[in-house]
Amino acid sequence: MKILVQREDFDVGAEIRALAGHARIGAVASFIGLVRDLNDGSAVATMTLEHYPGMTEKAIEGIVAQAKGRWEVLDCTVIHRFGELKPADQIVLVAVASGHRGDAFAACEFIMDYLKTRAPFWKKEQTPQGARWVEARATDDEAAGRWQRKEPGAA
Amino acid sequence: MKILVQREDFDVGAEIRALAGHARIGAVASFIGLVRDLNDGSAVATMTLEHYPGMTEKAIEGIVAQAKGRWEVLDCTVIHRFGELKPADQIVLVAVASGHRGDAFAACEFIMDYLKTRAPFWKKEQTPQGARWVEARATDDEAAGRWQRKEPGAA
Amino acid sequence: MKVKVLYFAGLREQVGSSSEELELPAGVSTLAGLRSHLVARGGVWQSALAETRLVRMAVNQQMAQAASAIRSGDEVAFFPPVTGG
Amino acid sequence: MKVKVLYFAGLREQVGSSSEELELPAGVSTLAGLRSHLVARGGVWQSALAETRLVRMAVNQQMAQAASAIRSGDEVAFFPPVTGG
């Protein structure tokens, strides 16, 4: 397991290769989030990611622990950047290694959905209309909520 | 769009970097399938992947076209190997670039599920008990069937 | 009419052939008909292609059903359920 | 009791402070109580932390609810809904 919150970019190929290389792994699902040059109808020149140092790492650890409790996760890497980013820059990587693809996909998407709604990061965009904080989306809460409805015993 | 059926290994990092690099892409979901050293309780020494040259490419093209009809797919790469492979070797890569993560995850998992049940590849494993053809799994049909139930107007 | 028939994977091994050119009698015009024609050879053909076996079929490199028509010059393939990915 | 209070993102900009050390009156023992105490300062505090605003809270770097207890020495944080990933 590897969790990094860093200003620097990351190398997706190297990170995936570095996942525990044992031969019980049959599936690696991964996700990369990138800065788009257009958001909510405005051109985005640069984006600044603020975070809560210390809490971010703990929040991601907690999310990964939940994923491990629900699916077979043989190894997992989460890297989230902060600081100033430009369009097409990488923001986040989640890579999950498992025996089977169903577990790898589910754990990877779960970690992303929870990270979007529970890890203390905030995006501020510079647009031609000035700087603005990105608003949280109801669709992100819904995406995270899907997983709760699937939990046994949950309402 | 890039679809390759080849004997050679592939470089995941290079393939993901090569996805159309424009800044409308906010999400890249990818999947790598690998040879496991244990399958259905038997140690796997080597695996041979047979395929139907010509039809495999068409089948994958058809699956990718369906995914593009259902989700926003800005770019997509599918590479599937054939020939003799060893445990921990890479078998397949599916990488999907989209504006948003929901589309990228769904299209990537859809392509994998359909590829497992509709693309003409067959695995033969060498085990201490001898060579055996891998049996198709009911769980793979179920995984592919999920997507049909979600189609509007489908029974 | 003449068709090319391909066999793959376990089915190829069972019938001991990967491909053949077939001259079909007039009555054979669907995949089901072709399969019955091959089963009628008996022996490994009967066991490999029996109704009770899960066999997938393609015509001209497209997945096809038992009722699918076949025409002269078609490439037909028989194979087990696929296991790639 | 004494607590450390942190503010992040838009909320930090609104109150014009990223962190402060607070000496709390005896009656304040929950996050809701602390929030009311800050709102009572009026001005930017009142507008940024008003009941009608969606504000997320953490105690000692764990997400927490309004009813959560706070103790002397705790690190408390107020921030808008998160937008990372």
Side-chain angles (χ1 to χ4, degrees):
Chain A
M1 305 292 147
K2 174 170 167 183
I3 292 165
L4 295 171
V5 178
Q6 63 185 36
R7 194 176 288 276
E8 300 71 35
D9 198 10
F10 48 82
D11 177 340
V12 174
E15 294 301 337
I16 289 177
R17 270 195 304 280
L19 288 172
H22 57 68
R24 279 190 301 141
I25 294 174
V28 174
S30 63
F31 179 85
I32 306 153
L34 305 129
V35 181
R36 298 164 69 225
D37 62 359
L38 198 76
N39 192 27
D40 290 334
S42 278
V44 175
T46 62
M47 172 193 282
T48 308
L49 256 158
E50 180 171 334
H51 73 124
Y52 181 170
M55 182 173 164
T56 31
E57 291 83 350
K58 282 181 198 160
I60 297 171
E61 279 165 22
I63 292 165
V64 169
Q66 282 187 68
K68 291 182 68 174
R70 295 181 64 165
W71 297 283
E72 183 197 46
V73 175
L74 295 174
D75 200 3
C76 173
T77 290
V78 180
I79 304 178
H80 201 301
R81 295 175 70 189
F82 61 88
E84 188 163 306
L85 302 172
K86 301 179 308 298
D89 278 356
Q90 302 185 124
I91 303 170
V92 60
L93 169 71
V94 175
V96 174
S98 181
H100 300 281
R101 79 183 184 291
D103 283 36
F105 271 119
C108 186
E109 194 165 9
F110 170 90
I111 291 170
M112 270 308 302
D113 285 346
Y114 268 48
L115 203 153
K116 292 274 281 187
T117 53
R118 285 162 172 77
F121 291 97
W122 302 272
K123 287 176 180 154
K124 190 178 195 177
E125 295 172 340
Q126 299 286 343
T127 76
Q129 293 80 43
R132 64 175 185 194
W133 290 97
V134 172
E135 298 246 347
R137 292 174 193 272
T139 52
D140 285 333
D141 284 331
E142 286 158 20
R146 287 183 303 161
W147 302 102
Q148 285 177 343
R149 288 198 297 275
K150 286 186 197 158
E151 261 169 331
Chain B
M1 303 294 147
K2 175 170 166 183
I3 292 166
L4 294 172
V5 178
Q6 64 186 35
R7 195 177 286 277
E8 300 71 35
D9 199 9
F10 47 82
D11 177 339
V12 174
E15 295 300 337
I16 290 177
R17 270 194 305 280
L19 288 171
H22 58 69
R24 281 190 300 140
I25 295 173
V28 174
S30 64
F31 179 85
I32 307 153
L34 305 130
V35 182
R36 298 163 70 226
D37 62 359
L38 198 74
N39 193 27
D40 290 333
S42 276
V44 175
T46 63
M47 172 193 282
T48 308
L49 256 157
E50 179 170 334
H51 75 124
Y52 181 171
M55 180 171 165
T56 31
E57 292 82 350
K58 284 182 196 157
I60 297 171
E61 278 165 22
I63 292 165
V64 169
Q66 283 188 66
K68 290 181 72 175
R70 296 180 63 164
W71 297 282
E72 185 197 46
V73 175
L74 296 173
D75 200 3
C76 174
T77 291
V78 179
I79 304 177
H80 201 300
R81 296 176 70 189
F82 62 86
E84 188 164 304
L85 302 172
K86 300 179 308 299
D89 277 356
Q90 301 185 123
I91 304 170
V92 60
L93 169 71
V94 175
V96 174
S98 180
H100 300 281
R101 77 184 185 289
D103 284 36
F105 271 120
C108 186
E109 195 165 8
F110 170 91
I111 291 170
M112 271 308 302
D113 285 346
Y114 269 48
L115 204 152
K116 293 273 286 186
T117 53
R118 285 159 173 76
F121 291 98
W122 302 272
K123 287 176 180 151
K124 189 177 194 176
E125 294 172 341
Q126 300 286 344
T127 76
Q129 293 80 42
R132 62 175 187 195
W133 290 97
V134 172
E135 298 246 346
R137 293 173 192 273
T139 51
D140 285 332
D141 285 330
E142 287 158 19
R146 286 182 306 161
W147 302 103
Q148 285 177 343
R149 288 198 297 275
K150 284 184 196 159
E151 261 167 333
Chain C
M1 68 176 164
K2 250 176 132 167
V3 294
K4 185 173 185 185
V5 185
L6 308 177
Y7 307 96
F8 290 98
L11 211 151
R12 170 179 56 72
E13 290 184 343
Q14 281 180 276
V15 302
S17 165
S18 58
S19 126
E20 58 179 317
E21 301 281 345
L22 265 187
E23 188 69 50
L24 292 179
V28 176
S29 61
T30 63
L31 273 181
L34 172 55
R35 185 169 171 178
S36 299
H37 178 71
L38 293 167
V39 165
R41 288 174 167 175
V44 293
W45 302 93
Q46 186 166 16
S47 55
L49 293 168
E51 288 283 340
T52 52
R53 300 290 299 272
L54 265 185
V55 173
R56 301 283 187 251
M57 295 166 286
V59 176
N60 297 327
Q61 308 190 349
Q62 296 270 13
M63 289 286 189
Q65 303 303 315
S68 301
I70 47 179
R71 288 175 190 80
S72 195
D74 277 354
E75 177 177 301
V76 177
F78 292 93
F79 44 78
V82 304
T83 56
Chain D
M1 70 177 161
K2 251 178 132 167
V3 294
K4 185 175 188 184
V5 184
L6 307 178
Y7 307 96
F8 290 97
L11 210 150
R12 170 179 54 73
E13 291 183 344
Q14 281 180 278
V15 302
S17 166
S18 58
S19 122
E20 58 179 318
E21 301 280 346
L22 266 187
E23 187 69 52
L24 293 178
V28 176
S29 60
T30 64
L31 274 180
L34 171 56
R35 184 168 172 178
S36 300
H37 178 70
L38 292 167
V39 165
R41 287 172 167 176
V44 292
W45 302 93
Q46 187 165 15
S47 55
L49 293 169
E51 288 282 341
T52 53
R53 300 291 297 275
L54 264 185
V55 172
R56 302 281 188 249
M57 296 166 285
V59 176
N60 297 328
Q61 307 190 346
Q62 297 271 13
M63 290 287 189
Q65 304 303 315
S68 301
I70 48 178
R71 289 177 186 79
S72 195
D74 278 354
E75 178 179 299
V76 177
F78 292 93
F79 44 79
V82 304
T83 57

